[in-house]
Amino acid sequence: MFVPENVSRRRALVRLAALGAGMTGAFTAGGASAADTSKTLRIGYQKYGNFVVLKARGTLDKRLAAQGITVQWLEFPAGPQLLEGLNAGAVDIGTVGETPPIFAQAAGVDFVYIANEPPAPRAEAIVVPQQSPLRSVADLRGKKVALNKGSNVHYLLVEALKKAGLAYTDIQPVYLAPADARAAFVQGSIDAWVIWDPYLAAVEKQAHARQLVDGTNLVSNVQYYLATRRIASTQAPLVHAVLDELDQVDRWARDNVPAVAAQLSPLVGLDADILETALRRTAYGVQPVTNATLAYQQRIADVFTNLKLIPKQLDVSAARWNVA
């Protein structure tokens, strides 16, 4: 059975802070440290996605090695935890869904949006056990619904409830990381789970979960690439190199789904057929962040401000990358 890595908030921050302190060759505003003239680019990734494929293919590592740059790959269980790593100074570039950057910006994390992928609304859903009496989102009134707080599916839940005529206060949100939520779902201690691929494809295949609704006509579910403001402003050619390699991998993956699934399978601990399902629900192509994209992010921020889930009004455009 697939059990994703589960890292607690406190342990993750302690480990990442220690890691960041020990990175003598990591990028600084002035380049490499005096003690070590080599440079290290720290990339935060999740168990699934283009960075996993890029890591496996090794093309970015090879390209940057020619410039004396080493790539260090750091895995995180979800976007909020990855952004904690970025805030702790242990991550330079990472990838997350549409909601984590909102919570991170509200918490004062200094990052910029450097690119995004096209919308993939079918790659996240609200699921219930196969034999559950719940048949629609409206049936979630008073029920325990698990989700990773601040993750991309948080916005899906809010919008799905709104469309069903429910307020966020009409349910009992249970904030759990994917591994804990999966266990709670299988054990029957929650009524529903809001989750993204490949966890979604896995629980559908392995535990016969049934979808109440996916993101279609509710949310865009955009995947973003983020960088620390310092890296983006002082190492723009490096950021462009990463995005170029990502785009090449993305184009290859789009046309070679079975091969990608086979390559990812031993790396993420999921059968290839599960990964094929997830890969066919995703979207491909690394795109520049546009005004329309930032406007969409602003709508998400405003929703969470109104729900008082973030403490203040945000100006999402403050996290725009002034591309060099």
Side-chain angles (χ1 to χ4, degrees):
M1 180 180 294
F2 171 62
V3 181
E5 179 186 26
N6 180 27
V7 183
S8 72
R9 177 186 176 93
R10 179 175 295 178
R11 290 177 60 190
L13 284 173
V14 170
R15 177 172 63 83
L16 289 167
L19 178 62
M23 294 291 294
T24 57
F27 280 104
T28 65
S33 69
D36 185 354
T37 56
S38 67
K39 300 174 184 178
T40 300
L41 176 68
R42 291 85 51 88
I43 294 181
Y45 70 101
Q46 299 178 49
K47 191 172 281 289
Y48 170 79
N50 283 348
F51 269 139
V52 180
V53 182
L54 185 59
K55 177 177 181 288
R57 290 176 69 81
T59 54
L60 179 64
D61 301 72
K62 183 177 180 179
R63 176 171 176 169
L64 296 186
Q67 304 173 40
I69 300 170
T70 299
V71 180
Q72 183 174 31
W73 299 90
L74 303 170
E75 183 183 324
F76 295 83
Q81 292 88 336
L82 189 155
L83 280 161
E84 287 173 359
L86 188 146
N87 192 41
V91 173
D92 299 311
I93 292 175
T95 180
V96 297
E98 58 195 17
T99 303
I102 302 300
F103 281 78
Q105 188 179 358
V109 180
D110 196 19
F111 69 88
V112 292
Y113 294 91
I114 57 174
N116 61 268
E117 294 179 9
R122 295 176 57 240
E124 59 181 12
I126 303 174
V127 296
V128 296
Q130 181 63 40
Q131 303 304 319
S132 170
L134 306 180
R135 295 293 166 182
S136 70
V137 175
D139 294 334
L140 293 176
R141 184 185 297 273
K143 304 300 183 183
K144 294 180 179 179
V145 182
L147 68 151
N148 197 83
K149 185 177 183 180
S151 68
N152 56 321
V153 297
H154 204 148
Y155 185 52
L156 169 61
L157 176 60
V158 170
E159 291 300 294
L161 291 172
K162 183 190 302 182
K163 186 174 182 179
L166 297 182
Y168 194 73
T169 53
D170 287 330
I171 64 161
Q172 299 179 54
V174 181
Y175 299 126
L176 296 173
D180 294 330
R182 161 88 184 223
F185 184 86
V186 172
Q187 294 165 6
S189 56
I190 57 174
D191 299 296
W193 184 20
V194 199
I195 191 57
W196 61 89
D197 275 327
Y199 303 102
L200 171 60
V203 77
E204 287 178 309
K205 175 74 172 181
Q206 297 170 341
H208 308 294
R210 171 169 51 84
Q211 290 191 15
L212 290 182
V213 67
D214 66 17
T216 302
N217 298 322
L218 288 172
V219 297
S220 294
N221 188 30
V222 175
Q223 192 76 10
Y224 289 99
Y225 297 101
L226 310 178
T228 65
R229 190 179 299 274
R230 175 177 53 81
I231 285 292
S233 60
T234 65
Q235 303 288 342
L238 176 63
V239 174
H240 285 301
V242 173
L243 295 178
D244 180 57
E245 292 296 329
L246 275 169
D247 189 52
Q248 291 185 47
V249 161
D250 221 23
R251 293 172 185 273
W252 175 80
R254 178 189 58 202
D255 299 328
N256 295 274
V257 167
V260 176
Q263 187 174 53
L264 286 177
S265 181
L267 300 176
V268 304
L270 283 173
D271 292 340
D273 63 331
I274 291 175
L275 290 171
E276 280 200 42
T277 296
L279 288 165
R280 296 189 190 283
R281 290 194 291 221
T282 195
Y284 298 91
V286 177
Q287 303 176 336
V289 177
T290 65
N291 289 337
T293 306
L294 290 177
Y296 173 70
Q297 286 296 94
Q298 187 65 56
R299 289 198 298 275
I300 297 175
D302 293 344
V303 165
F304 284 111
T305 300
N306 292 336
L307 288 172
K308 302 189 184 308
L309 292 174
I310 57 176
K312 60 183 179 180
Q313 189 76 31
L314 290 185
D315 177 10
V316 169
S317 66
R320 176 192 290 273
W321 181 30
N322 296 316
V323 183

